[in-house]
Amino acid sequence: MFFGSLDTNFAKMDRIVHPEIESFKERVYKTECFGVEIYQWKKLLSSRRDESMKSALIRYLGITEEKIDKILD
């Protein structure tokens, strides 16, 4: 499971040094989403650790993996 590059416009803001932008990023990263801070989601999803990602998706979002045969029946 790989989610591709996380080099979004938000990530590109790291190249700009400005107090208000730093404050904005800090607020966003500390925002909780499904019981986990955005920073923690970013760290997990960019880690490429499939089992950790799978576990977090199951635990926090209720996303499970099913066999394709079961879905198509």
Side-chain angles (χ1 to χ4, degrees), residues 11-23 25:
K12 291 175 185 172
M13 286 192 299
D14 285 335
R15 299 179 190 133
I16 302 169
V17 179
H18 189 278
E20 289 180 32
I21 291 175
E22 296 304 314
S23 175
K25 288 190 311 189

Side-chain angles (χ1 to χ4, degrees), residues 23-65:
S23 175
F24 169 76
K25 288 190 311 189
E26 186 175 333
R27 283 193 319 272
V28 170
Y29 279 138
K30 288 184 177 183
T31 300
E32 202 170 283
C33 182
F34 295 99
V36 179
E37 290 183 352
I38 298 293
Y39 176 76
Q40 293 168 309
W41 281 118
K42 175 185 179 264
K43 187 175 176 179
L44 173 69
L45 296 175
S46 64
S47 73
R48 298 185 183 186
R49 295 184 325 195
D50 289 349
E51 286 306 312
S52 295
M53 284 187 246
K54 183 177 176 180
S55 176
L57 294 174
I58 291 169
R59 179 176 179 189
Y60 294 104
L61 303 178
I63 297 173
T64 59
E65 190 173 352

